[in-house]
Amino acid sequence: MFNFNRTLIYLKTVTPLSPNPNPLFHPYPSLFSLHFCTNTSDSISFAVSYLIHNFGFSPQPASKLCSNYRLQFNTSQNPDSVLTFFRNHNFSHSQLRHIVEKATWLLSCNPSKRVLPKFQFLLSKGASNSDIVNLVSKNPRVLSPSLKSHIVPTYELVYRFLQSDKDTLACVFHNPSLLIEHIFSYNIRMLIENRVSDSNIARLLRVRSRTLSTLNLEKLLEELQGLGFDLSKIKFSIALIAKTSVTKTRWKEKVDTFKKWGWSDEDVAEAFKKQPYCMLTSIDKINLVMNFWVNQLGWDAMAIAKSPGILLLSLEKRIIPRAIVVQFLLDKGLRNMSACLTSPFFVHEKMFLSKFIKCFENESSYLLELYEKKLNLAYTSDTTCMS
């Protein structure tokens, strides 16, 4: 531990501010905080000492923070005012410590000019006091960008597609990087210039806004266009999500998994084009479905390549119960062998019962019992797992 020469330590309380009708700006009596003044040792600056005494940082991390942010102050007046500001806005001591660690520069700023307008902007859009506290305490970097040149234009850009403050705030709070990184607004404008539909951009913002932080998004756009994706259709946004959320290594592993079941690279590409969600399916799920389809039923794996939506269905609740019925019909010659294998799995429940069970008068009772037995087994298994 370092030594202080003639260090004066005293406890200082913060005088409450005048009342304000907005709860976020109500005075919040500061906790007693430790302060010091005058001479510290030559090797430790006042700013470093401030971090050590007020937030419990060790000397080395405190020195590094001050160095990284070029933090310099010789009295506690300004940093004290910053802490008072945040405490008056209901930030806890632990939240303040995290904020200072991630955005140490705040201790040198004028919070009324640098921070308050950003709080007021979010409040004007319908954010609650606790929303702002949670946003800033978890992501202090949102206070770094300029309100006028970045935060407001980015918010308005997102609002253009989501068309409500509630949805726009939800998007921002879910992914605060929108208000921090310039790549988001750049990518959104790039998509607009390439005539990606507004509905697709809105879907990306709602479902996986992190897609819009991808550095090579323009290259991926060209790749998907080359595969034949229509930029105005929902499949494009799903394909873009798949391409940006699955790593190249994992993508190759999934391609290799499909090839293990007899697909070619072209089959995988075609399946992805038909149903982009198939590349978001886990390798375990792919193998389970393929194993049941090929090894237990003896059916052709290429049927799934032509209808990859099968991979999105529940194995226990949809594929197995219906496959048992279809297999029975095929074995009894009640269904043409050349008929599409996959179509019975996509119709809704009422249609399946009508077209594949009830219409066969002599076998309907047995088929219904067979079908319901498998369904009940799946739901019983679910209940057991939950309990």
Side-chain angles (χ1 to χ4, degrees), residues 208 220 241-255 279-280 283:
R208 190 178 174 82
L220 290 178
I241 291 172
K243 276 290 187 181
T244 54
S245 58
V246 180
T247 65
K248 288 184 178 180
T249 300
R250 197 61 172 169
W251 189 279
K252 184 180 183 304
E253 289 173 352
K254 290 185 179 185
V255 171
M279 293 306 289
L280 290 168
I283 290 176

Side-chain angles (χ1 to χ4, degrees), residues 137-154:
S137 57
K138 292 178 181 177
N139 305 274
R141 287 201 306 138
V142 298
L143 297 177
S144 299
S146 164
L147 176 66
K148 183 178 180 180
S149 64
H150 181 70
I151 293 177
V152 172
T154 301

Side-chain angles (χ1 to χ4, degrees), residues 191 196 200-201 203-204 207-208 211-212 214 216-217 219-247 251 254 268-281 312:
L191 293 177
V196 174
N200 265 331
I201 296 175
R203 188 172 294 108
L204 290 170
V207 177
R208 190 178 174 82
T211 296
L212 297 168
T214 306
N216 62 340
L217 195 64
K219 183 178 179 181
L220 290 178
L221 185 70
E222 293 174 0
E223 180 183 340
L224 294 176
Q225 282 182 299
L227 288 172
F229 281 95
D230 186 336
L231 304 188
S232 66
K233 304 297 183 183
I234 185 174
K235 285 183 180 180
F236 165 74
S237 59
I238 299 170
L240 195 57
I241 291 172
K243 276 290 187 181
T244 54
S245 58
V246 180
T247 65
W251 189 279
K254 290 185 179 185
V268 176
E270 191 61 28
F272 175 59
K273 182 180 175 182
K274 289 180 178 178
Q275 180 48 267
Y277 271 122
C278 72
M279 293 306 289
L280 290 168
T281 306
L312 279 56

Side-chain angles (χ1 to χ4, degrees), residues 92-345:
S92 68
H93 181 74
S94 60
Q95 288 171 330
L96 272 174
R97 189 187 192 282
H98 179 70
I99 290 171
V100 168
E101 183 177 12
K102 300 299 180 183
T104 315
W105 60 268
L106 284 167
L107 292 176
S108 294
C109 82
N110 181 335
S112 296
K113 293 182 178 179
R114 188 75 186 270
V115 182
L116 181 59
K118 295 168 185 176
F119 285 9
Q120 291 172 328
F121 173 74
L122 292 173
L123 283 170
S124 73
K125 300 302 180 182
S128 68
N129 304 328
S130 59
D131 284 337
I132 294 174
V133 171
N134 289 333
L135 173 68
V136 174
S137 57
K138 292 178 181 177
N139 305 274
R141 287 201 306 138
V142 298
L143 297 177
S144 299
S146 164
L147 176 66
K148 183 178 180 180
S149 64
H150 181 70
I151 293 177
V152 172
T154 301
Y155 184 95
E156 292 175 346
L157 185 60
V158 174
Y159 182 92
R160 165 183 166 177
F161 300 100
L162 301 185
Q163 291 295 299
S164 81
D165 285 317
K166 181 180 178 181
D167 290 344
T168 303
L169 285 172
C171 183
V172 167
F173 291 150
H174 179 70
N175 185 13
S177 295
L178 279 167
L179 297 182
I180 303 170
E181 300 174 4
H182 292 273
I183 188 67
F184 276 98
S185 55
Y186 173 83
N187 279 338
I188 290 176
R189 291 187 176 92
M190 182 273 294
L191 293 177
I192 295 171
E193 290 171 4
N194 282 275
R195 299 183 180 180
V196 174
S197 65
D198 284 7
S199 61
N200 265 331
I201 296 175
R203 188 172 294 108
L204 290 170
L205 288 166
R206 287 193 173 96
V207 177
R208 190 178 174 82
S209 59
R210 287 180 177 81
T211 296
L212 297 168
S213 67
T214 306
L215 295 176
N216 62 340
L217 195 64
E218 195 164 5
K219 183 178 179 181
L220 290 178
L221 185 70
E222 293 174 0
E223 180 183 340
L224 294 176
Q225 282 182 299
L227 288 172
F229 281 95
D230 186 336
L231 304 188
S232 66
K233 304 297 183 183
I234 185 174
K235 285 183 180 180
F236 165 74
S237 59
I238 299 170
L240 195 57
I241 291 172
K243 276 290 187 181
T244 54
S245 58
V246 180
T247 65
K248 288 184 178 180
T249 300
R250 197 61 172 169
W251 189 279
K252 184 180 183 304
E253 289 173 352
K254 290 185 179 185
V255 171
D256 290 341
T257 300
F258 284 123
K259 291 170 74 173
K260 182 183 75 174
W261 293 101
W263 293 20
S264 66
D265 288 316
E266 291 73 21
D267 293 329
V268 176
E270 191 61 28
F272 175 59
K273 182 180 175 182
K274 289 180 178 178
Q275 180 48 267
Y277 271 122
C278 72
M279 293 306 289
L280 290 168
T281 306
S282 72
I283 290 176
D284 285 344
K285 173 74 177 294
I286 293 170
N287 281 325
L288 283 170
V289 172
M290 288 295 198
N291 181 63
F292 176 73
W293 192 273
V294 176
N295 294 334
Q296 295 188 43
L297 295 174
W299 294 353
D300 188 358
M302 294 309 299
I304 296 181
K306 295 175 182 177
S307 297
I310 289 287
L311 295 167
L312 279 56
L313 305 175
S314 168
L315 180 62
E316 294 80 9
K317 297 176 184 178
R318 176 67 72 92
I319 298 175
I320 291 177
R322 295 194 180 190
I324 297 302
V325 171
V326 173
Q327 184 68 68
F328 177 88
L329 296 177
L330 289 170
D331 291 343
K332 296 296 183 179
L334 298 174
R335 181 168 174 77
N336 195 315
M337 295 295 290
S338 62
C340 178
L341 268 178
T342 57
S343 60
F345 298 90

Side-chain angles (χ1 to χ4, degrees), residues 76-101:
S76 64
Q77 183 176 356
N78 197 81
D80 279 355
S81 70
V82 173
L83 298 186
T84 299
F85 172 87
F86 280 102
R87 284 170 180 153
N88 286 342
H89 292 72
N90 297 332
F91 286 82
S92 68
H93 181 74
S94 60
Q95 288 171 330
L96 272 174
R97 189 187 192 282
H98 179 70
I99 290 171
V100 168
E101 183 177 12

